Amino acid sequence: MAAPVVVVVGSCVTDLVSLTTRLPKAGETVLGQKFFIGFGGKGANQCVQSARLGAKTSLICKVGNDSFGNDYVENLKKNGVSTAFVGQTTEAATGTASIIVNSEGQNVIVIVPGANLLLNSEDLKRASDVICKAKVVVCQLEISPAVSLEALKMARASGVKTLFNPAPALADLDPQFYTHSDVFCCNETEAEILTGIPVGNLEDAGKVGRILLERGCKLVVVTLGAEGCVMISVEEPIPKHVPAGKVRAVDTTRNSTMGSCRARLFRWWLGTEPIPQGAASLPRSLEEQRPSSSLAHAAGTGEGRRDVLEPRALGLWAAEGWPCRVSSGGSWRQFCGSTRLLPGLLSQATHGGNGQEV
């Protein structure tokens, strides 16, 4: 059996979403209008969306030995994700996010990481074969940072390309994360936490990009919501702005509404489309790292896949990208689930089983 092209080491979170007219005050009970359960977590989101693009994927994570965990494993299987290294434990419950959203899009969220924090070095060792044979290994910070860093080191030691999304951001991030990431991707908020520099425009994004390069990154992508992203590399130290396509936003997530920039840029990296508009040139380091045509094929570039590869209009809202509406084929559908998605692994903010009208 062929090794997975994309291996994600990350989190699984069950979203428990209640929609109500207004948020309750302390000690108050209010009636809600809708309730639904979704499958979230940055790691699982990224893995599912990679699979939906056609890449062979594997998720290394840990869930509880409970009903939420069982449902999560089945959802991953339905989405074509290998669950060979999805561990279930009796020592903690599956990670959950209890979310209350009012009619204005304001929310309160309680996240309980649960089993996510029990993913450990032994789990990585058991999965070492798939990590070391992958084309790309993806990590974030919703599991123990030490485990994410160990996974990046394992991948780099085997010549596997690494993508790191420092979310949720840590001001005291271990410096080794910078030196072990082939592509380091953060949004404006994360960039400010990491560097102390507020990012309000393209120039600011270039500044933080340079700082991150000085810390050892090879290539940095700073996403700017509706403004697209800025990328900068050691070999091409002049920041390049890649604008996002115009979208019809229903709601926004602070300033992080995504257009098509991320998917377009990294589909180019996969070899599926020309250099993005707005980028006079792209860093040579990306050109050199561009995977083989076999990986591009695995990403679903053949006929009949254009519906997946074409970016859709996104309306994202709430602090972590909770319920959002996606335009597909001219009709609006409602989804829930985190939309903090690593570039190149997605073109739609959908996650298995979440396509529920609300």
Side-chain angles (χ1 to χ4, degrees):
M1 182 179 294
V5 170
V6 177
V7 172
V8 179
V9 181
S11 58
C12 291
V13 176
T14 298
D15 302 332
L16 308 174
V17 186
S18 297
L19 304 183
T20 184
T21 303
R22 62 180 181 84
L23 301 179
K25 299 177 182 179
E28 182 185 17
T29 299
V30 298
L31 291 177
Q33 283 73 50
K34 296 283 185 178
F35 172 79
F36 49 90
I37 298 176
F39 300 97
K42 300 182 194 303
N45 279 344
Q46 293 161 9
C47 197
V48 166
Q49 285 139 7
S50 178
R52 289 188 171 191
L53 280 175
K56 185 176 177 61
T57 66
S58 180
L59 180 62
I60 301 170
C61 66
K62 187 159 286 188
V63 297
N65 188 16
D66 49 33
S67 60
F68 287 157
N70 294 337
D71 290 344
Y72 219 118
V73 172
E74 288 305 309
N75 180 64
L76 292 170
K77 291 179 179 178
K78 288 178 181 178
N79 279 277
V81 174
S82 170
T83 58
F85 300 101
V86 176
Q88 288 191 268
T89 179
T90 58
E91 297 180 18
T94 299
T96 59
S98 300
I99 308 158
I100 303 175
V101 186
N102 69 11
S103 57
E104 297 178 352
Q106 297 174 322
N107 62 74
V108 291
I109 303 174
V110 177
I111 296 178
V112 181
N116 289 298
L117 297 183
L118 298 183
L119 190 68
N120 56 38
S121 296
E122 292 303 314
D123 297 313
L124 294 183
K125 290 177 182 177
R126 283 191 287 271
S128 61
D129 191 54
V130 295
I131 291 175
C132 296
K133 291 181 179 178
K135 296 290 185 181
V136 182
V137 167
V138 183
C139 294
Q140 332 75 28
L141 292 173
E142 282 191 335
I143 59 175
S144 299
V147 176
S148 288
L149 181 56
E150 184 176 351
L152 293 174
K153 288 181 176 180
M154 290 174 65
R156 286 291 295 274
S158 298
V160 177
K161 298 302 179 185
T162 56
L163 303 180
F164 179 59
N165 177 210
L170 300 173
D172 58 346
L173 184 67
D174 189 318
Q176 294 181 88
F177 277 105
Y178 302 111
T179 57
H180 286 84
S181 303
D182 288 305
V183 179
F184 189 98
C185 178
C186 56
N187 65 17
E188 313 104 301
T189 303
E190 294 149 5
E192 180 177 354
I193 292 173
L194 293 170
T195 66
I197 298 176
V199 178
N201 52 47
L202 300 180
E203 183 179 355
D204 294 338
K207 289 180 182 178
V208 300
R210 290 189 185 95
I211 291 174
L212 296 174
L213 288 183
E214 291 172 359
R215 294 181 182 178
C217 294
K218 289 186 175 181
L219 187 149
V220 176
V221 178
V222 180
T223 62
L224 303 170
E227 297 301 316
C229 70
V230 168
M231 54 186 295
I232 184 172
S233 74
V234 172
E235 297 186 5
E236 293 288 344
I238 299 176
K240 306 293 183 184
H241 175 220
V242 182
K246 297 297 183 181
V247 300
R248 174 191 172 194
V250 176
D251 298 284
T252 60
T253 304
R254 291 176 292 188
N255 294 318
S256 63
T257 301
M258 293 192 305
S260 62
C261 168
R262 292 182 173 192
R264 291 179 63 233
L265 174 61
F266 282 82
R267 285 205 305 276
W268 172 86
W269 185 63
L270 288 171
T272 67
E273 68 174 47
I275 293 175
Q277 295 178 355
S281 63
L282 292 176
R284 285 191 298 271
S285 57
L286 259 187
E287 180 68 58
E288 292 168 357
Q289 295 174 22
R290 195 173 187 169
S292 65
S293 58
S294 61
L295 177 54
H297 179 73
T301 62
E303 292 206 73
R305 299 288 303 175
R306 296 304 299 171
D307 60 319
V308 176
L309 292 173
E310 287 294 333
R312 303 302 188 203
L314 304 180
L316 312 181
W317 55 285
E320 286 298 330
W322 309 109
C324 67
R325 295 175 74 192
V326 178
S327 174
S328 180
S331 62
W332 288 96
R333 298 177 62 196
Q334 188 90 8
F335 294 88
C336 77
S338 176
T339 52
R340 295 292 187 84
L341 309 171
L342 202 62
L345 305 183
L346 68 148
S347 63
Q348 301 182 61
T350 63
H351 192 178
N354 288 352
Q356 301 182 37
E357 297 289 343
V358 295

